[in-house]
Coordinates of all heavy atoms in Angstrom, one line a residue:
P1 N 9.2 -19.4 15.9 CA 8.6 -18.1 16.1 C 7.9 -17.8 17.4 O 7.7 -18.9 18.1 CB 7.4 -18.1 15.0 CG 7.8 -19.2 14.0 CD 8.8 -20.2 14.9
G2 N 7.8 -16.6 17.9 CA 7.2 -16.3 19.1 C 8.2 -16.1 20.2 O 7.9 -15.5 21.2
R3 N 9.5 -16.6 20.1 CA 10.4 -16.5 21.1 C 11.4 -15.3 20.6 O 12.0 -15.4 19.6 CB 11.3 -17.8 21.3 CG 10.6 -18.7 22.1 CD 11.5 -19.8 22.5 NE 11.0 -20.9 23.2 CZ 11.6 -21.9 23.7 NH1 12.9 -22.0 23.4 NH2 11.0 -22.8 24.4
R4 N 11.6 -14.5 21.5 CA 12.6 -13.4 21.2 C 14.0 -13.9 21.5 O 14.0 -14.4 22.7 CB 12.2 -12.1 21.9 CG 10.9 -11.5 21.5 CD 10.8 -10.2 22.3 NE 9.5 -9.5 21.7 CZ 8.9 -8.6 22.4 NH1 9.4 -8.2 23.6 NH2 7.9 -8.0 22.0
P5 N 15.0 -13.5 20.8 CA 16.4 -14.0 21.2 C 16.8 -13.6 22.6 O 17.4 -14.3 23.3 CB 17.2 -13.4 20.1 CG 16.3 -13.1 19.1 CD 14.9 -12.9 19.6
E6 N 16.4 -12.3 22.9 CA 16.9 -11.8 24.2 C 16.2 -12.5 25.3 O 16.6 -12.6 26.5 CB 16.6 -10.2 24.3 CG 15.2 -9.8 24.3 CD 14.7 -9.5 22.8 OE1 15.3 -9.9 21.9 OE2 13.6 -9.0 22.8
A7 N 14.9 -13.0 25.2 CA 14.2 -13.7 26.2 C 14.9 -15.0 26.4 O 15.0 -15.5 27.6 CB 12.7 -14.0 25.8
I8 N 15.4 -15.7 25.4 CA 16.1 -16.9 25.5 C 17.5 -16.6 26.2 O 17.8 -17.4 27.1 CB 16.3 -17.6 24.1 CG1 15.1 -18.0 23.3 CG2 17.3 -18.7 24.2 CD1 15.2 -18.2 22.0
M9 N 18.1 -15.6 25.9 CA 19.4 -15.1 26.4 C 19.1 -15.0 27.9 O 19.9 -15.4 28.8 CB 19.9 -13.9 25.8 CG 21.2 -13.5 26.3 SD 22.0 -12.2 25.4 CE 20.8 -10.9 25.4
Y10 N 17.9 -14.2 28.4 CA 17.8 -14.0 29.7 C 17.5 -15.3 30.5 O 17.9 -15.5 31.6 CB 16.5 -13.0 29.8 CG 16.2 -12.8 31.4 CD1 17.2 -12.2 32.1 CD2 15.1 -13.1 31.9 CE1 16.9 -11.9 33.5 CE2 14.8 -12.9 33.1 CZ 15.6 -12.3 34.0 OH 15.4 -12.1 35.3
R11 N 16.7 -16.2 29.9 CA 16.5 -17.4 30.6 C 17.9 -18.1 30.7 O 18.0 -18.7 31.8 CB 15.6 -18.3 29.7 CG 14.1 -18.0 30.1 CD 13.1 -19.0 29.5 NE 13.2 -19.2 28.1 CZ 12.6 -18.4 27.1 NH1 11.8 -17.5 27.6 NH2 12.6 -18.8 25.9
S12 N 18.7 -18.1 29.8 CA 20.0 -18.8 29.9 C 20.8 -18.3 31.2 O 21.3 -19.0 32.0 CB 20.8 -18.7 28.7 OG 20.1 -19.3 27.7
I13 N 20.8 -16.9 31.3 CA 21.5 -16.4 32.4 C 20.9 -16.6 33.8 O 21.5 -16.8 34.6 CB 21.8 -14.9 32.2 CG1 22.8 -14.2 33.1 CG2 20.5 -14.0 32.3 CD1 24.2 -14.7 32.9
S14 N 19.6 -16.5 33.7 CA 18.9 -16.9 34.9 C 19.2 -18.4 35.5 O 19.4 -18.6 36.6 CB 17.3 -16.8 34.8 OG 17.0 -15.4 34.5
A15 N 19.2 -19.2 34.4 CA 19.5 -20.6 34.8 C 20.9 -20.8 35.4 O 21.1 -21.7 36.2 CB 19.3 -21.5 33.7
T16 N 21.8 -20.0 35.0 CA 23.2 -20.1 35.5 C 23.6 -19.3 36.9 O 24.6 -19.4 37.3 CB 24.2 -19.8 34.5 OG1 24.0 -18.5 34.1 CG2 24.1 -20.7 33.3
Q17 N 22.7 -18.5 37.2 CA 23.0 -17.5 38.3 C 23.2 -18.4 39.6 O 24.1 -18.1 40.4 CB 21.9 -16.5 38.6 CG 22.0 -15.4 37.6 CD 20.9 -14.3 37.8 OE1 20.0 -14.6 38.4 NE2 21.1 -13.1 37.2
G18 N 22.4 -19.5 39.8 CA 22.4 -20.1 41.0 C 23.7 -20.8 41.3 O 24.3 -20.9 42.4
N19 N 24.3 -21.4 40.2 CA 25.6 -22.2 40.4 C 26.8 -21.3 39.9 O 27.9 -21.9 39.8 CB 25.5 -23.5 39.6 CG 25.5 -23.4 38.2 OD1 25.5 -22.3 37.5 ND2 25.1 -24.4 37.6
N20 N 26.8 -20.2 39.6 CA 27.9 -19.2 39.1 C 28.6 -19.9 37.9 O 29.8 -19.9 38.1 CB 28.8 -18.9 40.2 CG 28.0 -17.8 41.2 OD1 27.2 -17.0 40.7 ND2 28.2 -18.0 42.5
A21 N 28.0 -20.5 37.0 CA 28.7 -21.3 36.0 C 29.5 -20.4 35.1 O 30.4 -20.7 34.4 CB 27.8 -22.1 35.2
M22 N 29.1 -19.1 35.1 CA 29.8 -18.1 34.2 C 30.8 -17.3 34.8 O 30.8 -17.1 36.0 CB 28.8 -17.2 33.5 CG 27.8 -17.7 32.6 SD 26.9 -16.5 31.6 CE 26.6 -15.3 32.6
T23 N 32.0 -17.2 34.0 CA 33.0 -16.3 34.6 C 32.5 -14.8 34.6 O 31.6 -14.5 33.9 CB 34.3 -16.4 33.7 OG1 34.0 -15.9 32.4 CG2 34.8 -17.9 33.6
D24 N 33.4 -13.9 35.3 CA 33.1 -12.6 35.3 C 33.1 -12.0 33.9 O 32.2 -11.1 33.5 CB 34.0 -11.7 36.2 CG 33.6 -11.9 37.7 OD1 32.3 -12.4 37.9 OD2 34.4 -11.5 38.6
E25 N 34.0 -12.5 33.1 CA 34.0 -12.0 31.7 C 32.9 -12.4 30.9 O 32.4 -11.6 30.0 CB 35.4 -12.5 31.0 CG 36.7 -11.9 31.5 CD 37.2 -12.7 32.8 OE1 36.5 -13.8 33.2 OE2 38.2 -12.2 33.4
Q26 N 32.4 -13.5 31.1 CA 31.2 -14.1 30.4 C 30.0 -13.2 30.9 O 29.2 -13.0 30.1 CB 31.0 -15.6 30.6 CG 32.0 -16.4 29.9 CD 32.0 -17.9 30.4 OE1 31.7 -18.2 31.5 NE2 32.2 -18.8 29.5
K27 N 29.9 -13.0 32.2 CA 28.9 -12.1 32.7 C 28.9 -10.7 32.0 O 27.7 -10.1 31.6 CB 28.9 -12.1 34.1 CG 28.6 -13.4 34.9 CD 28.9 -13.2 36.4 CE 28.8 -14.5 37.1 NZ 29.1 -14.5 38.5
A28 N 30.0 -10.2 31.9 CA 30.2 -8.9 31.3 C 29.8 -8.8 29.8 O 29.0 -7.9 29.4 CB 31.6 -8.3 31.4
A29 N 30.0 -10.0 29.1 CA 29.7 -10.1 27.8 C 28.1 -10.3 27.7 O 27.5 -9.6 26.7 CB 30.3 -11.3 27.2
Y30 N 27.6 -10.9 28.5 CA 26.0 -11.0 28.6 C 25.4 -9.7 28.8 O 24.5 -9.3 28.1 CB 25.6 -11.9 29.7 CG 24.1 -11.8 29.9 CD1 23.2 -12.3 29.0 CD2 23.7 -11.0 31.0 CE1 21.9 -12.2 29.2 CE2 22.2 -10.9 31.1 CZ 21.3 -11.4 30.3 OH 20.1 -11.2 30.3
V31 N 26.0 -8.9 29.7 CA 25.4 -7.6 30.0 C 25.6 -6.7 28.8 O 24.6 -6.0 28.4 CB 26.0 -7.1 31.3 CG1 25.6 -5.5 31.5 CG2 25.7 -7.8 32.5
T32 N 26.7 -6.8 28.2 CA 26.9 -6.0 27.0 C 25.9 -6.3 25.9 O 25.4 -5.5 25.2 CB 28.4 -6.1 26.6 OG1 29.3 -5.7 27.6 CG2 28.7 -5.3 25.3
A33 N 25.8 -7.6 25.7 CA 24.8 -8.1 24.6 C 23.5 -7.7 25.0 O 22.7 -7.2 24.0 CB 24.9 -9.6 24.5
A34 N 23.0 -7.9 26.1 CA 21.7 -7.4 26.5 C 21.4 -5.9 26.3 O 20.3 -5.5 26.0 CB 21.4 -8.0 28.0
A35 N 22.4 -5.1 26.7 CA 22.4 -3.7 26.5 C 22.3 -3.4 25.0 O 21.4 -2.5 24.7 CB 23.6 -3.0 27.1
A36 N 22.9 -4.2 24.1 CA 22.8 -3.9 22.8 C 21.4 -4.3 22.2 O 20.8 -3.5 21.4 CB 23.7 -4.6 21.9
C37 N 20.9 -5.4 22.7 CA 19.3 -5.7 22.5 C 18.4 -4.6 23.0 O 17.5 -4.3 22.2 CB 19.1 -7.1 23.0 SG 19.9 -8.6 22.5
A38 N 18.7 -4.1 24.1 CA 17.8 -3.1 24.7 C 17.9 -1.9 23.9 O 16.8 -1.2 23.6 CB 18.2 -2.8 26.1
N39 N 18.9 -1.6 23.4 CA 19.2 -0.3 22.6 C 18.5 -0.5 21.2 O 17.7 0.4 20.8 CB 20.6 0.0 22.3 CG 21.0 1.3 21.6 OD1 20.2 2.3 21.8 ND2 21.9 1.3 20.7
A40 N 18.6 -1.7 20.7 CA 17.9 -1.9 19.4 C 16.5 -1.9 19.6 O 15.6 -1.3 18.7 CB 18.4 -3.2 18.8
R41 N 15.9 -2.6 20.6 CA 14.5 -2.5 20.8 C 13.9 -1.2 21.1 O 12.9 -0.7 20.5 CB 14.1 -3.4 22.1 CG 12.5 -3.5 22.2 CD 12.2 -4.3 23.4 NE 12.6 -5.7 23.1 CZ 12.3 -6.6 24.0 NH1 11.9 -6.3 25.3 NH2 12.7 -7.9 23.9
M42 N 14.7 -0.4 21.9 CA 14.1 1.0 22.2 C 14.2 2.0 21.1 O 13.4 2.8 20.9 CB 14.8 1.5 23.6 CG 14.3 0.8 24.8 SD 14.8 1.7 26.3 CE 16.5 0.9 26.5
S43 N 15.2 1.7 20.3 CA 15.3 2.5 19.0 C 14.2 2.2 18.1 O 13.5 3.2 17.6 CB 16.7 2.3 18.3 OG 17.8 2.7 19.0
G44 N 13.8 1.0 18.0 CA 12.6 0.6 17.2 C 11.3 1.3 17.8 O 10.5 1.8 17.1
M45 N 11.2 1.2 19.1 CA 9.9 1.9 19.8 C 10.0 3.4 19.5 O 9.0 4.0 19.2 CB 10.2 1.6 21.3 CG 10.0 0.1 21.6 SD 10.5 -0.3 23.3 CE 9.3 0.5 24.4
I46 N 11.1 4.0 19.6 CA 11.3 5.6 19.3 C 10.8 5.8 17.9 O 10.0 6.6 17.6 CB 12.7 6.0 19.6 CG1 12.9 6.0 21.0 CG2 12.9 7.4 19.1 CD1 14.3 6.2 21.5
A47 N 11.2 4.9 16.9 CA 11.0 5.1 15.5 C 9.5 4.9 15.3 O 8.9 5.7 14.7 CB 11.7 4.1 14.7
E48 N 8.9 3.9 15.9 CA 7.4 3.7 15.8 C 6.7 4.9 16.5 O 5.7 5.3 15.8 CB 7.0 2.4 16.5 CG 7.4 1.1 15.7 CD 6.9 -0.1 16.2 OE1 5.7 -0.1 16.5 OE2 7.6 -1.1 16.4
N49 N 7.1 5.5 17.5 CA 6.4 6.6 18.1 C 6.5 7.8 17.2 O 5.6 8.6 17.0 CB 7.0 7.0 19.5 CG 6.5 6.1 20.5 OD1 5.5 5.2 20.3 ND2 6.9 6.2 21.8
N50 N 7.7 7.9 16.6 CA 7.9 9.0 15.7 C 7.0 9.0 14.4 O 6.4 9.9 13.8 CB 9.3 9.2 15.2 CG 10.2 9.7 16.3 OD1 9.8 10.3 17.2 ND2 11.6 9.4 16.2
I51 N 6.8 7.7 14.0 CA 6.0 7.5 12.8 C 4.5 7.7 13.1 O 3.8 8.5 12.4 CB 6.1 6.0 12.3 CG1 7.5 5.8 11.6 CG2 4.8 5.7 11.3 CD1 7.9 4.4 11.3
A52 N 4.1 7.4 14.3 CA 2.8 7.7 14.9 C 2.6 9.2 14.9 O 1.5 9.7 14.5 CB 2.5 6.9 16.1
A53 N 3.5 9.8 15.4 CA 3.5 11.4 15.7 C 3.4 12.0 14.3 O 2.4 13.0 14.1 CB 4.6 11.8 16.3
M54 N 4.1 11.6 13.2 CA 4.0 12.3 12.0 C 2.6 12.0 11.3 O 2.2 12.8 10.6 CB 5.1 11.7 11.1 CG 6.5 12.2 11.4 SD 7.8 11.9 10.3 CE 7.9 10.0 10.5
A55 N 1.9 10.8 11.8 CA 0.7 10.6 11.1 C -0.5 11.2 12.1 O -1.7 11.0 11.7 CB 0.5 9.0 11.1
G56 N 0.0 12.0 13.0 CA -0.9 12.6 13.9 C -1.7 11.5 14.9 O -2.8 11.8 15.5
E57 N -1.1 10.5 15.0 CA -1.7 9.4 16.0 C -1.1 9.4 17.3 O 0.0 10.0 17.6 CB -1.5 8.0 15.3 CG -2.1 7.8 14.0 CD -1.7 6.7 13.3 OE1 -0.8 5.8 13.7 OE2 -2.2 6.3 12.2
T58 N -1.7 8.7 18.2 CA -1.1 8.6 19.7 C 0.1 7.8 19.5 O 0.0 6.6 18.9 CB -2.2 8.1 20.6 OG1 -3.3 8.9 20.5 CG2 -1.7 7.9 21.9
P59 N 1.2 8.0 20.3 CA 2.3 7.2 20.3 C 1.9 5.8 20.9 O 1.1 5.6 21.8 CB 3.3 7.9 21.3 CG 2.7 9.3 21.4 CD 1.4 9.2 21.1
K60 N 2.6 4.9 20.3 CA 2.3 3.4 20.7 C 2.9 3.0 22.0 O 2.4 2.3 22.7 CB 2.8 2.5 19.6 CG 2.6 0.9 19.8 CD 3.0 0.1 18.7 CE 2.9 -1.4 19.0 NZ 3.3 -2.1 18.0
Y61 N 4.0 3.6 22.2 CA 4.9 3.2 23.5 C 4.9 4.5 24.4 O 5.0 5.6 24.0 CB 6.3 2.8 23.1 CG 6.3 1.7 22.2 CD1 6.5 1.7 20.9 CD2 6.1 0.3 22.8 CE1 6.7 0.6 20.1 CE2 6.1 -0.8 22.0 CZ 6.3 -0.7 20.7 OH 6.4 -1.8 19.8
R62 N 4.7 4.2 25.7 CA 4.8 5.2 26.7 C 6.0 5.0 27.6 O 6.8 3.9 27.4 CB 3.7 5.0 27.7 CG 2.2 5.0 26.9 CD 1.9 6.5 26.7 NE 0.5 6.7 26.1 CZ 0.2 7.7 25.5 NH1 0.9 8.8 25.3 NH2 -1.0 7.8 25.0
L63 N 6.3 5.8 28.6 CA 7.5 5.8 29.4 C 7.5 4.3 30.0 O 8.7 3.8 30.1 CB 7.4 6.9 30.4 CG 8.6 6.9 31.4 CD1 9.9 7.0 30.7 CD2 8.4 7.9 32.5
A64 N 6.5 3.9 30.5 CA 6.5 2.5 31.3 C 7.0 1.4 30.3 O 7.5 0.5 30.7 CB 5.0 2.2 31.7
D65 N 6.7 1.5 29.1 CA 7.1 0.5 28.1 C 8.6 0.5 28.0 O 9.1 -0.5 27.9 CB 6.5 0.7 26.7 CG 4.9 0.6 26.8 OD1 4.4 -0.3 27.4 OD2 4.2 1.4 26.3
F66 N 9.2 1.8 28.0 CA 10.6 1.8 27.7 C 11.3 1.4 29.1 O 12.4 0.7 29.0 CB 11.0 3.3 27.5 CG 10.6 3.7 26.2 CD1 9.6 4.4 25.8 CD2 11.6 3.6 25.1 CE1 9.2 4.6 24.5 CE2 11.3 4.0 23.8 CZ 10.1 4.5 23.6
E67 N 10.7 1.8 30.3 CA 11.3 1.3 31.5 C 11.2 -0.2 31.6 O 12.0 -0.8 32.4 CB 10.5 2.1 32.7 CG 10.8 3.4 32.7 CD 9.9 4.1 33.8 OE1 8.8 3.6 34.2 OE2 10.3 5.3 34.2
E68 N 10.3 -0.9 31.0 CA 10.1 -2.4 31.1 C 11.4 -3.1 30.3 O 11.7 -4.3 30.7 CB 8.8 -2.8 30.6 CG 8.5 -4.1 30.7 CD 8.1 -4.6 32.1 OE1 7.8 -3.7 33.0 OE2 8.2 -5.8 32.6
V69 N 11.9 -2.6 29.3 CA 12.9 -3.2 28.5 C 14.1 -3.7 29.3 O 14.4 -4.9 29.2 CB 13.3 -2.3 27.3 CG1 14.4 -2.9 26.6 CG2 12.2 -2.0 26.5
P70 N 14.8 -2.9 30.2 CA 15.9 -3.4 30.9 C 15.4 -4.6 31.9 O 16.2 -5.6 32.0 CB 16.4 -2.2 31.6 CG 15.9 -1.0 30.9 CD 14.6 -1.5 30.3
L71 N 14.3 -4.4 32.5 CA 13.7 -5.5 33.3 C 13.6 -6.9 32.6 O 13.9 -7.8 33.1 CB 12.4 -4.9 34.0 CG 11.8 -6.0 34.9 CD1 12.7 -6.1 36.1 CD2 10.4 -5.4 35.5
Q72 N 12.9 -6.6 31.5 CA 12.7 -7.9 30.7 C 14.0 -8.8 30.3 O 14.2 -9.8 30.2 CB 11.9 -7.6 29.4 CG 10.6 -7.2 29.7 CD 9.9 -6.6 28.5 OE1 10.5 -6.4 27.4 NE2 8.5 -6.5 28.5
L73 N 15.1 -7.8 30.1 CA 16.3 -8.4 29.6 C 17.3 -8.6 30.8 O 18.5 -9.2 30.6 CB 17.0 -7.4 28.7 CG 16.3 -7.2 27.5 CD1 17.1 -6.1 26.5 CD2 16.2 -8.4 26.6
G74 N 16.9 -8.4 32.1 CA 17.7 -8.8 33.2 C 18.9 -7.8 33.3 O 19.9 -8.3 33.9
I75 N 18.8 -6.6 32.9 CA 19.9 -5.6 33.0 C 19.6 -4.3 33.8 O 20.1 -3.3 33.6 CB 20.5 -5.3 31.7 CG1 19.4 -4.7 30.7 CG2 21.3 -6.5 31.1 CD1 20.0 -4.1 29.4
T76 N 18.6 -4.5 34.7 CA 18.4 -3.3 35.6 C 19.6 -3.3 36.6 O 20.4 -4.2 36.6 CB 17.2 -3.5 36.5 OG1 17.3 -4.5 37.4 CG2 15.9 -3.6 35.7
I77 N 19.9 -2.1 37.2 CA 21.1 -2.1 38.0 C 21.1 -3.1 39.1 O 22.2 -3.8 39.3 CB 21.2 -0.7 38.6 CG1 22.5 -0.4 39.4 CG2 20.1 -0.3 39.6 CD1 23.8 -0.5 38.5
N78 N 20.0 -3.4 39.6 CA 19.9 -4.4 40.8 C 20.2 -5.8 40.1 O 20.8 -6.5 40.9 CB 18.7 -4.3 41.5 CG 18.5 -3.2 42.4 OD1 19.5 -2.7 42.8 ND2 17.3 -2.7 42.6
Q79 N 19.7 -6.1 39.0 CA 20.0 -7.4 38.3 C 21.4 -7.6 38.0 O 22.0 -8.7 38.2 CB 19.0 -7.5 37.1 CG 17.6 -7.7 37.4 CD 16.7 -7.6 36.3 OE1 16.9 -6.7 35.4 NE2 15.7 -8.5 36.2
V80 N 22.1 -6.5 37.4 CA 23.5 -6.6 37.1 C 24.3 -6.8 38.3 O 25.2 -7.5 38.4 CB 23.9 -5.3 36.2 CG1 25.4 -5.3 36.0 CG2 23.2 -5.4 34.9
L81 N 24.0 -6.0 39.4 CA 24.7 -6.1 40.6 C 24.6 -7.5 41.1 O 25.6 -8.2 41.6 CB 24.3 -5.1 41.6 CG 24.7 -3.7 41.4 CD1 24.1 -2.7 42.5 CD2 26.2 -3.4 41.2
A82 N 23.5 -8.0 41.2 CA 23.2 -9.4 41.7 C 24.0 -10.4 40.9 O 24.6 -11.5 41.4 CB 21.7 -9.7 41.7
L83 N 24.2 -10.3 39.6 CA 24.8 -11.1 38.7 C 26.3 -11.3 39.0 O 26.9 -12.3 39.0 CB 24.6 -10.7 37.1 CG 25.4 -11.5 36.1 CD1 24.7 -12.9 36.1 CD2 25.2 -10.8 34.9
F84 N 26.9 -10.1 39.5 CA 28.3 -10.0 39.8 C 28.5 -10.2 41.4 O 29.7 -10.3 41.7 CB 28.9 -8.9 39.3 CG 29.2 -8.7 37.8 CD1 28.1 -8.2 37.0 CD2 30.3 -9.3 37.3 CE1 28.3 -8.2 35.7 CE2 30.4 -9.3 36.0 CZ 29.4 -8.8 35.1
K85 N 27.6 -10.5 42.0 CA 27.7 -10.8 43.5 C 28.4 -12.0 43.8 O 28.4 -13.0 43.1 CB 26.3 -10.8 44.1 CG 26.3 -10.8 45.5 CD 24.8 -10.7 46.1 CE 24.8 -10.7 47.6 NZ 23.4 -10.9 48.1

């Protein structure tokens, strides 16, 4: 408990960036999997915001929270470009 699978995945990719242990195909698979994780997480965030809105409450997540997701998963444009460098 306490560890998110995508955090473990990101640490794994970070550890291999220095020695380029992964092939380009493996890197592409990582980016695809991380994008799926980001999509799932942000879909949940949107759902929670919709629930809060229906209850007349303030949304739990703001734009900055959504912008943080790709950064946490290592899939910002700069991170992906560096991965394939």
